[in-house]
Amino acid sequence: MDYLALVTDINLKGRITAGMVAKQARKIDPTFPIVYMTGAAANDWASHGVPNSLLLESRLPQPKL
């Protein structure tokens, strides 16, 4: 299966962070598109986001996502 992009919430639960997932994807393909989503952690993107990634801020209630 070919993937077109990685879309992840900045605040993943557990031991793996969104930054870790994105960095692994970029090790495989340095140009792979990364899109972060968040409803509350936009400030974390600057410190945890990989270069040339996008941030989508969502203010939708959880059930609407």
Side-chain angles (χ1 to χ4, degrees), residues 31-58:
T31 63
F32 197 71
I34 309 291
V35 179
Y36 294 95
M37 294 182 65
T38 187
N43 293 339
D44 292 340
W45 180 54
S47 60
H48 298 291
V50 294
N52 299 313
S53 60
L54 299 175
L55 174 68
L56 298 177
E57 291 186 74
S58 170

Side-chain angles (χ1 to χ4, degrees), residues 12-25:
L12 296 179
K13 305 293 183 202
R15 299 183 320 213
I16 298 173
T17 67
M20 292 166 66
V21 173
K23 287 175 186 169
Q24 287 298 317

Side-chain angles (χ1 to χ4, degrees), residues 1 3 9 12 19 25 30 37 53 64:
M1 178 180 290
Y3 296 97
D9 194 310
L12 296 179
M37 294 182 65
S53 60
K64 295 205 177 206

